[in-house]
Amino acid sequence: MSVHLDDYQQWLDELKPESRALMLHTWADATRVFSARGLDNYVKGAAALHGLGKGASLVNAWIESAPQVAKEVGEDVVPDLVTEALMLASKTSGAVIELVLATAPTAATRLADGELFLQYLQVISSLVNQAPRALRPMLDKIDVLLGQLTLGGLRRWANWGAQAHRTQYEEQVKYFDLNSKESLAILQQERKGTLLVDVQRRINLYLRALWGRDFFMRPTSGDFESREGYQPYIEDYLIHLPDAFDAAHGQQGTVSALELYRASAAHAAAHLVYTRQPISAEALNPWQMALIGAIEDARVEALACARFPGLRQLWCSLHTCNAALDQSAGDYLNRLARALLEPDYPDAHPWIAQGRAWFAQALPGVLAQPFANTVSWDIGVALAHSFKDVGPAYHPRTDVQRAPYRDDNRYFWAFEAFDLDQSMAAGYHEPQQVRKYVNLMEMANEIDVETAGDDAQEVWVLATELFPYEDMGVSFNDSEGKEPLVPPSHYGEWDYLIQLERPAWVTVQERRVKMGDLALIDAIAAEHKRVISRMKYLLDAMQPQGVQRLRKLEDGDDIDLNAALDALVGMRMGQQPDPRLMMRSVRKTRDISVMVLLDLSHSTNDRVAGQDHTVLALTRQACVLLADAIGKVGDPFAIHGFCSDGRHDVNYWRFKDFNQPYDDQVKARLAGMTGQLSTRMGAAIRHASTALKAQRSAKKLLLVITDGEPADIDVRDPQYLRHDTKKAVEEAGRSGIITYCMSLDPRADHYVSRIFGAKNYMVVDKVERLPEKLPLLYAGLTR
């Protein structure tokens, strides 16, 4: 789905000429990072800031900064950024608001996370309420401050200065400008050892070197009033690490913050690689869950150490518990964790020894089946049962694993609790409606219940359409019934960030095609008479040529008399005769199935520059000419279309299927197609490939016609759907389907070649020539 700047002309007219020129200059970059909704917020945000009446420089700062912020932390924060700027208008000057916008990209780069950036905006809002004069000098030094402080440290540093110099304005400015001793002292006090943003690239390369794949990491900030960050955790296949680490105390001394980051990232990556099935938490108490988590940590670390032995030394250095500690259940938990990881750790306690023995006994099975985690549940529950004789009570808040690199294990737990209130609200306590498939006599003989509605417990369905006695060509369902319910199709979707396919992630819903006016199709045929006549000779050459004789064969069905006479003459002249004396008659036929997949997103309603036609009208014309061409050749073909409204609703239409003739009904469907919503191309290609796989043709061609890149309303990363579409094309290729793309986007070269391949696409520079080029493309691809 593409969005043009001309669509926002009414908003642009409100801006000053220099702002309009800057918007035009940055629009190409903005379209690369914003979705259609994001572009809408971008333009309207500029208009809203212009309405403040604080000068064009404020609007220009927004135009330049908003795309950079969206590129760093996502476009979801952009509306909050402009809202914050509008709220500051009544509290500070336009120059300060301009500085907030101008420094926003720096803050987004240093924080590297959308949630942290929103919290940063809260810090600004809080500071302007306490000390308005302090905001400008702090923003002037924001790159220095965020280069040394976490977000929590920045807030504590700012709060200290605002409260200490509440009425001393000169000292307040010196403090926030880093020109006072107490400012530097508090800065040093709040300073963390190593920020994640400074080492994230090195950690990414470290994980890639280990596992040969990429892992996506996000920083998390601890409580504003505490210097301790959150514990590492995994959520939605993303590794969340604290935004800063201090050097940690280890067995052999101090462990650097960089080594702590490596240990945390490697442990979380081991979970993502080897923990693929959730562990049910049903009927487990907190102590059992804590022990199962410790065994699961030991299991994935044992698998990782078997592949990379050096990880054991890294992880062991961060376990500092010892056998002398026996005061709490948490001490035993940490001693067990160290005993399972470190073979040389001496601990003679019977319970620890028992856990070691059970884990060692299960280790060969763990290494043989790296993705089976039932052993963690079995050993954990057994250890919890045997711990009753040890004594200390378990306290979930305090008895936790103290190794700083380990995550909180939320990643692999599956909770399936039943919520009675929610189920009653959703109506699940009522009998669900049943669809019963019956034959015609059962349907005709059944008593009609006029009061039956959508809440009927049983709905009877005929396998075929039912027509009235006086058959007028219209079924009861078409004239009076509701749209038939087609079971949805679920497909996986490739996530390039985690290098895994999300199973059953996208739902494709087939919709009934609306009928249009046949006169529209007849007008298209009349308008393109000259194109049809020029293609006549080309199409005649593609017709099957019947029986063809293959001559000069050593093994064939009949003797080739001409070759036999030549051989006899050669023998009389004393020459070696040609042994190829046979011939075979073969029937030359075309064996190809063609599917045309149309992108029917909202952008197809746009008019072509300099033309009265819309992109949708040209697509319809091209389909009519192509259908006429394929019909003359005789190849089986289908015409389908798609658009999307998020991953749960990919709309799919069948204008013509392979087993349907190209008749007036198909033409009426082509006349009734409309453009709407977005373009989730990967799911549509998978659904179309399913239909093509059912064809028995030797050659199968999927021809995709689109006017823009893959995009959808629930996807912010412009690369996400591109990678998924590329994966869908590769899957179709493995099934013997040739996928070719005809793009109407003049800027498509930089991405369509990576999706479909260097030789499997064509960009139509002049969209108005689409009806002429599409049949010619078909002829070239199926020759």
Side-chain angles (χ1 to χ4, degrees), residues 643-680:
C643 69
S644 64
D645 189 20
R647 68 182 180 92
H648 295 295
D649 191 11
V650 179
N651 297 335
Y652 196 91
W653 295 276
R654 296 175 181 258
F655 300 102
K656 181 190 177 304
D657 263 330
F658 291 104
N659 56 354
Q660 294 177 334
Y662 181 59
D663 52 14
D664 289 346
Q665 188 176 17
V666 173
K667 294 178 181 178
R669 292 172 180 169
L670 292 176
M673 66 183 183
T674 58
Q676 55 188 331
L677 305 175
S678 303
T679 313
R680 207 175 196 104

Side-chain angles (χ1 to χ4, degrees), residues 507-528:
T507 302
V508 177
Q509 301 273 4
E510 292 202 14
R511 307 291 187 185
R512 173 179 290 182
V513 180
K514 296 180 180 179
M515 297 295 180
D517 188 2
L518 272 176
L520 180 62
I521 306 300
D522 296 335
I524 292 175
E527 180 183 354
H528 294 85

